[in-house]
Amino acid sequence: MHTATSSTPHSTPTTPDRPRSDQDQPQVHPTTQARPLGERALVLGGGGSTGNAWLVGVVAGLFDAGLDLTTADLTIGTSAGATAAAQMAGATPTELFAAISADGPQRRTRPVGSGNNRVAAGPTVDHLEKFRRIIAAAEDAADMRRRMGAAALEMDEASDGTAQARWRAVVAARLPGQRWPERTMLLTAVDAATGEPVEFDRHSGVDLVDAVAASTSGGGSSFRIGDTGYIDGGYRRSSENADLASGYERVLVLSPLGGRSLYPVEWGMNLATQVAELRAGGSNVMTIFPDDDVEHMFGARAMDLSLRPLAARAGYDQGRALVDQLAEFWR
């Protein structure tokens, strides 16, 4: 049963903002200044539509049982986790969970509230195979990111240019609010041209919708902000990017994919390596993975919208079951 693991240090609905046009998009200034460190960091990992639903469910289950994770000093969102982080900035976990629970198979073609389901099941499988080929050909992580970025930019050139506006509209429809929260929130992405990792926050000069759209741009093409194209934050280091919580006393990682990674172990990009690094730096880290009996809803089936209510319920029940264990860790 995958629930939570921890270690002590050394032991191992709101009114949307006006959407911006391409013409009035600002030039991007990704976060480079040193962040003030705090006590608690929440890491929301990627994992597609079902991953997004599970994340919301876990946080809602804990919230309804009296433990509010949205008060974290730092929230890190990657891909579907970026969507969840932004959603929680505009609505309560209870409201988000209710919205997913009300959805059903009859609405499976609707994108609203999904994680990062830009493409249908067939193209998703094709993209995964291309991703595996790029990993196999890459010399290291930086080379992999450059190759993924180049492939995305090549796809952009072959498109009719309408995908960007459509994707932004889908992302905007998923967010109950479109303003950055006052609390520190980092949303990850990768510069498609250089392969360099990027983290957006409220000081980056980027609309929240655009930051989420960039972090969830995993369908093959890039998402352009200003003159720069960006690809999915899961290519940065992992689907969790927990390393960004370095320096925080307590780090809680919610990983829909259970810490699994396609990257070679020697690249040091897996969650286990990041957790070890955080603990070596003095952080107390706890990880939460989906329970064994619901793992079939993640990975290959992560884009199946009909599974979202089930994934959310599984996360909700898991969150309520873990509240006593997490309360002492988080408070």
Side-chain angles (χ1 to χ4, degrees):
M1 179 178 182
H2 296 300
T3 52
T5 59
S6 66
S7 171
T8 55
H10 309 300
S11 65
T12 216
T14 58
T15 301
D17 298 333
R18 178 183 64 86
R20 294 187 175 187
S21 66
D22 289 340
Q23 285 71 36
D24 61 5
Q25 283 291 343
Q27 293 302 304
V28 177
H29 301 289
T31 300
T32 56
Q33 63 190 53
R35 301 189 306 278
L37 303 187
E39 292 185 0
R40 299 173 301 177
L42 174 65
V43 179
L44 302 175
S49 297
T50 56
N52 168 265
W54 178 80
L55 290 169
V56 170
V58 172
V59 177
L62 290 166
F63 184 84
D64 288 351
L67 185 62
D68 186 2
L69 298 186
T70 68
T71 61
D73 300 298
L74 168 67
T75 300
I76 299 164
T78 294
S79 198
T83 303
Q87 288 171 327
M88 292 175 198
T92 67
T94 302
E95 292 169 332
L96 295 171
F97 175 70
I100 297 173
S101 299
D103 209 346
Q106 73 276 14
R107 298 169 64 189
R108 63 186 299 168
T109 58
R110 290 190 59 189
V112 176
S114 304
N116 60 335
N117 52 306
R118 298 184 67 178
V119 288
T124 299
V125 173
D126 293 341
H127 178 68
L128 180 59
E129 290 305 312
K130 182 172 75 171
F131 184 34
R132 291 179 184 273
R133 291 195 298 269
I134 288 178
I135 291 175
E139 297 179 357
D140 52 26
D143 185 35
M144 177 276 296
R145 289 192 295 266
R146 287 191 294 268
R147 289 171 182 263
M148 288 301 302
L153 295 176
E154 183 178 356
M155 181 173 289
D156 293 345
E157 293 179 357
S159 70
D160 61 6
T162 62
Q164 164 115 357
R166 290 198 306 269
W167 182 233
R168 192 183 193 282
V170 166
V171 171
R174 294 173 178 169
L175 305 184
Q178 297 182 13
R179 294 186 182 277
W180 286 92
E182 290 300 314
R183 294 182 183 274
T184 304
M185 180 169 71
L186 295 180
L187 305 183
T188 64
V190 171
D191 187 315
T194 66
E196 290 298 313
V198 173
E199 299 88 45
F200 297 110
D201 68 7
R202 63 190 176 94
H203 302 294
S204 300
V206 174
D207 282 353
L208 180 59
V209 173
D210 292 314
V212 175
S215 186
T216 56
S217 187
S221 59
S222 72
F223 183 83
R224 190 165 295 277
I225 305 175
D227 296 328
T228 306
Y230 296 92
I231 55 176
D232 197 288
Y235 303 131
R236 177 192 172 276
R237 182 170 181 185
S238 71
S239 294
E240 298 84 18
N241 292 306
D243 59 296
L244 291 172
S246 176
Y248 281 75
E249 181 181 336
R250 284 161 286 166
V251 181
L252 178 61
V253 182
L254 274 58
S255 174
L257 297 179
R260 294 187 295 271
S261 174
L262 294 175
Y263 301 123
V265 174
E266 57 268 24
W267 287 4
M269 297 176 70
N270 56 72
L271 178 59
T273 297
Q274 295 173 59
V275 169
E277 292 171 353
L278 289 170
R279 288 174 176 162
S283 296
N284 188 357
V285 184
M286 180 173 286
T287 61
I288 300 178
F289 303 151
D291 286 333
D292 293 340
D293 58 351
V294 299
E295 284 187 340
H296 65 281
M297 290 189 284
F298 305 92
R301 302 191 68 186
M303 312 313 284
D304 188 340
L305 300 186
S306 68
L307 294 178
R308 280 177 54 76
L310 296 175
R313 171 53 66 178
Y316 186 88
D317 293 343
Q318 193 172 356
R320 291 190 68 93
L322 289 171
V323 66
D324 290 338
Q325 182 179 353
L326 282 171
E328 182 178 356
F329 170 82
W330 191 250
R331 288 174 174 152

